[in-house]
Amino acid sequence: MMKFTKTEKIRFKHVDFAGIVFYPRFLEMLNDLVEDWFEEALDRPFSKMHHTNGIPTVDLKIQFKKAARIGETLTKQLWVKNLGGASVTCAFQFDDAHGKTCLEGEVTLVNVALNKDSSDIKAEPFSENTRQKISQFLIQKP
Amino acid sequence: MMKFTKTEKIRFKHVDFAGIVFYPRFLEMLNDLVEDWFEEALDRPFSKMHHTNGIPTVDLKIQFKKAARIGETLTKQLWVKNLGGASVTCAFQFDDAHGKTCLEGEVTLVNVALNKDSSDIKAEPFSENTRQKISQFLIQKP
Amino acid sequence: MMKFTKTEKIRFKHVDFAGIVFYPRFLEMLNDLVEDWFEEALDRPFSKMHHTNGIPTVDLKIQFKKAARIGETLTKQLWVKNLGGASVTCAFQFDDAHGKTCLEGEVTLVNVALNKDSSDIKAEPFSENTRQKISQFLIQKP
Amino acid sequence: MMKFTKTEKIRFKHVDFAGIVFYPRFLEMLNDLVEDWFEEALDRPFSKMHHTNGIPTVDLKIQFKKAARIGETLTKQLWVKNLGGASVTCAFQFDDAHGKTCLEGEVTLVNVALNKDSSDIKAEPFSENTRQKISQFLIQKP
């Protein structure tokens, strides 16, 4: 019943010619949020993942609702909508300082074994320990 | 009934620790595709847009189906699924050299007037000229 | 006689295929350091700069001495080597947790007025207030 | 006595709030130039480098002389100033369509063996074949 929460300040490098965040930079901020969640809440830091493992993103849906500008601090939240054997679907929401939502969406990650020398990516079930930690962030719709 | 098509080579800067494209880089490639479409097919180069206008992305859906690796050349295709007054929903698909789809999805853009000094973003209908050019890429489902 | 100091953690997005920081990402980290310095120490946040002003980088020298890897936290330091009328040359150094220097160098910034509609960039002297604040970070060679 | 030459168009993703190229993006363009040189002229594509080899940048000097704006096409040139046993120092220059230099500098690369599981990076002499190809781009000062 928890949401994982981080804040991030909009910087010069994030904004485009119009002075608003260039949307691929929002995806970097989302990846940072997932990275922090794995390290701080799931005890699986990306730095400790062997280079033949990973959690690639397989599905992504985002609605951009309000532009964000340099100097603003956004609150980034993530929680779990569905936990499968080797995959997890997370909901996320980035709000501005006034509580207005800048973007929201869902991202599905798959736990995999990677083979660097071929194109093979094979799904691999989460460990029981990881499943338990992920499920603490599971928020069911009523 | 046309699809707008470009190719892009996967480079060192695109790939992550696992040797596959880091997905926010795919969104940069998508933005490049939209930018090329506006310049080459719609006669509205981003460089000529006044800095108080733009076409921000408001909705994005992507399915990542196959990893792409450094050295591969992808074919990027874009066509129109829906054309509204001030918005356009485009479908896109990135295929590898063997015709396998790496990713596909839909992106909705809105034609806007931006106000740099406030948070105001106001939708503005496409010009008739632009509408006509966009509609050449409209591919209706059967 | 002060050095401006920040820390930054190496993230998934920073590293390349070899698992070490891709060097253009170090330049983003350097730009963040300069941005923080202007906001926190010089009272000139980038977000408050009018869009016709800026402090472009005109000269950059870097020596990369030690690779940095995902999970490491670097200490970033910046101080002033030379303060001209409209320009400032800063030295910088990024060290790892063991005090080993990953990179060091010098960057020269010029205070300018930008003209968006032309290619004109005109140097403009720092205000007396800004000069005074900058000079607190001036460290002369013995 | 050759210079390796490529062109690159300034895109939306390259420019900052002021409408000019954000300088870390210039370093990505430089890395692309080096990558193309290794693939097209030196017959050592980055995609074929084993993940325990690389050519990290150890020294970089750049002078930014003229801002570049969205829509401009730059000509990027690279040649060799010094060829050591395991290192090469290249000069580079990016010019606009009118022949005005936007930036110029020098970058030193070292041929190395990387060890992913430690911090070890060990210099390794270029092969004779690679040395010969590199030396075709060697331009001595008079």
Side-chain angles (χ1 to χ4, degrees), chain A residues 72-88:
Chain A
E72 288 192 76
T73 298
L74 304 187
T75 299
K76 311 188 291 186
Q77 288 188 298
L78 178 148
W79 62 98
V80 175
K81 293 200 72 169
N82 193 58
L83 174 55
S87 76
V88 57

Side-chain angles (χ1 to χ4, degrees), chain C residues 4 9 14 29 32 34 36 46 50 53 60-61 70 77-78 83 87 97-98 101 108-109 111 120 124 129 136 138:
Chain C
F4 183 74
K9 193 170 177 183
H14 296 130
M29 294 180 207
D32 288 352
V34 170
D36 288 338
F46 282 21
H50 191 263
N53 285 278
L60 181 65
K61 289 184 193 75
I70 186 170
Q77 287 188 300
L78 179 148
L83 175 54
S87 75
H98 307 291
T101 298
T108 302
L109 311 165
N111 195 51
D120 290 342
E124 211 169 55
N129 186 269
Q136 293 181 297
L138 189 59

Side-chain angles (χ1 to χ4, degrees), chain A residues 9 11-13 17 28 31-32 35-36 39 46-47 70-71 116, chain C residues 9 11-13 17 28 31-32 35-36 39 46-47 70-71 116:
Chain A
K9 194 170 176 182
R11 288 173 161 283
F12 189 75
K13 69 181 173 190
F17 193 14
E28 296 187 37
N31 196 74
D32 288 351
E35 187 176 354
D36 287 338
E39 173 155 356
F46 282 21
S47 58
I70 187 170
K116 277 215 154 182
Chain C
K9 193 170 177 183
R11 287 172 161 285
F12 188 77
K13 69 182 174 191
F17 193 14
E28 296 186 37
N31 195 73
D32 288 352
E35 186 175 355
D36 288 338
E39 174 155 357
F46 282 21
S47 58
I70 186 170
K116 277 214 155 185

Side-chain angles (χ1 to χ4, degrees), chain C residues 6-107:
Chain C
K6 285 278 173 181
T7 57
E8 181 153 4
K9 193 170 177 183
I10 307 303
R11 287 172 161 285
F12 188 77
K13 69 182 174 191
H14 296 130
V15 301
D16 64 18
F17 193 14
I20 60 176
V21 175
F22 179 48
Y23 77 88
R25 306 296 165 236
F26 273 134
L27 281 306
E28 296 186 37
M29 294 180 207
L30 175 62
N31 195 73
D32 288 352
L33 182 64
V34 170
E35 186 175 355
D36 288 338
W37 184 51
F38 267 74
E39 174 155 357
E40 298 174 21
L42 307 187
D43 213 16
R44 261 190 76 188
F46 282 21
S47 58
K48 292 286 185 301
M49 286 197 197
H50 191 263
H51 61 269
T52 53
N53 285 278
I55 45 154
T57 296
V58 294
D59 197 277
L60 181 65
K61 289 184 193 75
I62 306 192
Q63 287 176 282
F64 300 95
K65 310 190 115 180
K66 186 181 169 295
R69 286 159 202 279
I70 186 170
E72 288 191 77
T73 297
L74 303 186
T75 299
K76 310 188 293 185
Q77 287 188 300
L78 179 148
W79 61 99
V80 174
K81 292 198 74 168
N82 193 58
L83 175 54
S87 75
V88 58
T89 299
C90 302
F92 56 87
Q93 184 176 322
F94 291 13
D95 293 346
D96 73 10
H98 307 291
K100 283 195 181 158
T101 298
C102 292
L103 62 89
E104 59 184 12
E106 288 183 26
V107 60

Side-chain angles (χ1 to χ4, degrees), chain B residues 88 92 95 127 130 139:
Chain B
V88 57
F92 57 87
D95 293 346
S127 73
T130 300
I139 297 181

Side-chain angles (χ1 to χ4, degrees), chain A residues 122-141:
Chain A
K122 214 178 54 177
E124 210 168 56
F126 288 114
S127 72
E128 193 47 44
N129 186 268
T130 300
R131 288 188 65 78
Q132 235 163 4
K133 288 193 165 75
I134 292 176
S135 62
Q136 293 182 297
F137 293 89
L138 188 60
I139 297 182
Q140 235 94 38
K141 278 187 215 149

Side-chain angles (χ1 to χ4, degrees), chain D residues 9-90:
Chain D
K9 194 170 176 183
I10 307 303
R11 289 172 160 285
F12 189 75
K13 68 181 173 189
H14 296 130
V15 302
D16 64 18
F17 193 15
I20 61 176
V21 176
F22 179 47
Y23 77 89
R25 307 296 166 237
F26 273 134
L27 281 306
E28 297 187 37
M29 295 180 205
L30 174 62
N31 196 72
D32 288 352
L33 182 63
V34 169
E35 186 176 353
D36 288 338
W37 185 52
F38 267 75
E39 173 155 357
E40 299 174 20
L42 307 187
D43 212 16
R44 262 190 77 188
F46 282 20
S47 58
K48 292 284 185 302
M49 286 196 199
H50 191 263
H51 60 269
T52 54
N53 284 278
I55 45 153
T57 296
V58 295
D59 198 277
L60 180 66
K61 290 185 193 72
I62 306 190
Q63 287 177 282
F64 300 94
K65 308 188 116 178
K66 185 181 170 297
R69 284 158 204 281
I70 188 169
E72 288 192 76
T73 297
L74 304 187
T75 299
K76 309 187 294 185
Q77 289 188 299
L78 178 148
W79 62 97
V80 174
K81 293 198 74 168
N82 192 58
L83 175 54
S87 76
V88 57
T89 298
C90 301

